[in-house]
Amino acid sequence: MSRHSLPEGFLWGVATSAFQIEGGAHEDGRGESIWDRFAATPGRIADGSNAVVACDHYHRWREDIELMRWLGVGAYRFSIAWPRILPRGRGRINPAGLDWYDALVDTLLEAGILPFVTLYHWDLPQELQDAGGWGVRETADAFVAYADAVSRRLGDRVRHWTTHNEPWCVAFQGHEVGAQAPGHRDPAESLRAAHHVLLSHGGAVEVLRRNSPGAEVGIVLILAPVSPATESAADRDAARQADGSLNRWYLDPLFRGRYPEDAIEDRVRLGHAQGPALPFVRDGDLRTIATPIDFLGVNYYSRNVVRAAPSGAPTVDPPAPERERTDMGWEVYPRGLYDTLVRVTRDYAPAKIYVTENGAAYTDAADAEGRIADQRRIDYLDAHIAQAGRAIADGVPLAGYFAWSLLDNFEWAHGYAKRFGLFEVDFETQRRRPRDSAHWYRQVVAPNSARDAEPQPLLRRMT
Ligand code: FCB
């Protein structure tokens, strides 16, 4: 049994994203995305895999909703694949794409599960990339038109919208270090990409409010506390810089309508921007970006400990050897979730917060009876949920928590080797099997769950 009791009405969910689970890459008129292209490029994905089939969720979605029903979660955070809706990124809408999500949303609602929709979880239509991608302003306009197409169709039923997932990843991983699609290594382009993503967010908020009156609209950021490796002035300054580029570069424009000055100066010093004004920022942009939102989504996995490289730029230390870490190499640091939630509340006062992702990659084999005892994942989730509860007790307006992830899936450049699922997926047979953590999470959410008294036939076999 779980020892957690969060406030009444607290929303428990699970999260996924389109590219990581859907597969069906060539079906019903879906266009190519930058992740299809990236995964097809030799050397980009650690295990040489791609997501043409992934979890085959495109065909197995009803079964996957049954898994959520069995868990008893109140919400499902998923993303929409832009290239299913607009195969070329803009222009002609593909009705089959909208139909698929329409059925998904209706079936979720029938199951008593709130659809928590993310519009952009990194799968930009390739044709938009060919025209400059997030490096050009036109992509922001295309995103707003895409948000319009989706919300015209689903806006009457979807009550929770997030525009973007982790703009930092799009900008930094995609355009600065090139570890993710489109794989560029151009810090100046990365700053433009961050700006255009944020700008497109602001534009979309207005459209979503119009097409989905009364719905909650927000954005999801990856946030992490940054601490200096030592108390030296150089390391403390490295921590300030890292916090500036990871956290404040996004929080400040969204909540204060300006980029952080010290972080701009850092970029100018590094030669990534000319300054003092960022040339790609036009009049009115920051007002658009700071359009009030109803909630902030926080993705939290770990913290960063940084030290100053000889150049003065921050470098991230690997976790100390005695610290527990997940298969991603990320330090298990539950306290960081509390610190992050408290800091965001204190410095930015969002109206509401959801933890939109939190979870751990671990591989544990099934025993002879098929039981998968993933105690480390349970411990990870348990400790983080406890910190979320503490944050609420200390005044953080936290309204929900989504475990990452429902299923093992295509973990971006890591391919299928990193397993985050409450359910194990056998990628040969597509069989889903609940890990112990799934059984455990079911107990956690139970007090707030509207789960059916009668399990469905499929699920009766699992219990
Ligand atoms: C986050 C991503 C999500 C998943 C987790 C492990 O940064 O939003 O898609 O890959 O990390």
Side-chain angles (χ1 to χ4, degrees):
M1 267 307 277
S2 147
R3 61 197 164 86
H4 302 296
S5 86
L6 282 95
E8 223 184 293
F10 190 80
L11 201 58
W12 292 106
V14 285
T16 65
S17 86
F19 191 78
Q20 294 177 276
I21 65 164
E22 283 180 3
H26 305 300
E27 286 187 54
D28 298 333
R30 175 184 178 278
E32 188 191 13
S33 80
I34 57 173
W35 268 97
D36 296 293
R37 182 72 63 93
F38 192 75
T41 308
R44 292 301 204 176
I45 309 300
D47 60 2
S49 62
N50 60 49
V52 172
V53 177
C55 304
D56 196 30
H57 175 74
Y58 192 70
H59 300 109
R60 294 170 195 265
W61 58 278
R62 288 183 189 278
E63 178 191 340
D64 292 337
I65 291 176
E66 288 302 309
L67 302 181
M68 290 184 244
R69 224 153 114 112
W70 174 79
L71 282 173
V73 289
Y76 173 42
R77 174 172 180 250
F78 62 96
S79 78
I80 297 200
W82 186 344
R84 283 197 200 284
I85 310 302
L86 293 139
R88 311 188 59 179
R90 55 186 147 221
R92 186 186 61 82
I93 294 175
N94 173 32
L98 284 172
D99 291 347
W100 191 85
Y101 291 105
D102 197 279
L104 180 72
V105 163
D106 278 348
T107 310
L108 285 166
L109 289 171
E110 281 159 24
I113 300 168
L114 289 173
F116 211 97
V117 174
T118 302
L119 287 170
Y120 188 73
H121 202 124
W122 308 349
D123 42 358
L124 186 73
Q126 181 62 41
E127 283 201 34
L128 292 182
Q129 185 61 50
D130 296 342
W134 288 110
V136 301
R137 210 173 158 92
E138 289 72 23
T139 301
D141 300 331
F143 178 81
V144 176
Y146 156 61
D148 185 49
V150 173
S151 56
R152 272 175 197 269
R153 179 71 176 268
L154 304 179
D156 56 339
R157 283 153 292 154
V158 171
R159 304 284 80 204
H160 300 85
W161 296 95
T162 60
T163 52
H164 283 276
N165 180 70
E166 302 186 356
W168 173 83
C169 263
V170 174
F172 183 79
Q173 302 287 4
H175 298 82
E176 192 157 335
V177 296
Q180 298 192 339
H184 295 181
R185 288 189 186 172
D186 179 346
E189 188 192 31
S190 165
L191 295 181
R192 291 203 304 279
H195 184 67
H196 296 140
V197 166
L198 290 170
L199 184 64
S200 77
H201 153 80
V205 169
E206 198 188 310
V207 163
L208 292 167
R209 292 211 191 288
R210 190 172 65 228
N211 293 343
S212 194
E216 290 184 8
V217 181
I219 187 169
V220 168
L221 300 181
I222 174 91
L223 298 174
V226 182
S227 32
T230 73
E231 280 309 307
S232 76
D235 286 354
R236 284 212 313 270
D237 193 62
R240 177 199 56 75
Q241 288 183 57
D243 179 54
S245 57
L246 171 66
N247 299 317
R248 291 182 289 116
W249 197 266
Y250 301 91
L251 288 162
D252 280 25
L254 287 164
F255 290 97
R256 296 178 179 167
R258 55 175 190 262
Y259 285 104
E261 259 162 46
D262 64 309
I264 298 177
E265 281 164 24
D266 295 336
R267 292 295 194 161
V268 171
R269 200 180 56 248
L270 293 165
H272 301 167
Q274 274 115 42
L278 300 165
F280 45 79
V281 179
R282 297 196 190 158
D283 278 357
D285 283 4
L286 283 156
R287 209 174 321 117
T288 302
I289 292 171
T291 303
I293 50 178
D294 302 300
F295 69 88
L296 174 68
V298 174
N299 289 356
Y300 177 80
Y301 289 93
S302 188
R303 67 163 166 173
N304 286 333
V305 177
V306 303
R307 66 176 64 242
S311 67
T315 56
V316 177
D317 266 9
E322 72 277 10
R323 302 288 308 178
E324 165 74 12
R325 64 184 93 179
T326 69
D327 283 357
M328 298 295 280
W330 298 343
E331 180 185 347
V332 177
Y333 190 68
R335 161 82 206 238
L337 176 58
Y338 172 86
D339 291 343
T340 297
L341 294 171
V342 167
R343 185 260 181 116
V344 161
T345 301
R346 184 193 63 212
D347 292 353
Y348 300 95
K352 209 186 237 194
I353 301 178
Y354 294 95
V355 172
T356 35
E357 284 180 29
N358 177 238
Y362 287 117
T363 305
D364 292 291
D367 68 14
E369 281 78 52
R371 174 175 167 204
I372 309 166
D374 59 336
Q375 190 58 42
R376 292 173 299 174
R377 181 176 289 100
I378 294 175
D379 291 346
Y380 180 101
L381 295 170
D382 187 58
H384 285 78
I385 291 169
Q387 295 292 334
R390 256 184 81 208
I392 295 174
D394 288 349
V396 169
L398 182 67
Y401 172 96
F402 292 78
W404 182 272
S405 179
L406 175 67
L407 303 169
D408 290 342
N409 57 48
F410 180 77
E411 179 45 39
W412 309 112
H414 300 280
Y416 296 99
K418 306 293 182 216
R419 293 175 171 263
F420 277 93
L422 297 176
F423 287 84
E424 179 201 70
V425 177
D426 175 335
F427 291 100
E428 297 291 314
T429 62
Q430 292 296 342
R431 182 157 79 130
R432 281 93 161 114
R433 263 200 304 201
R435 294 190 167 105
D436 278 3
S437 56
H439 291 278
W440 175 85
Y441 196 52
R442 192 168 186 261
Q443 302 297 324
V444 171
V445 310
N448 302 55
S449 165
R451 182 197 296 136
D452 294 355
E454 268 301 291
Q456 300 299 300
L458 164 80
L459 302 167
R460 221 171 281 144
R461 272 184 274 126
M462 285 188 343
T463 42

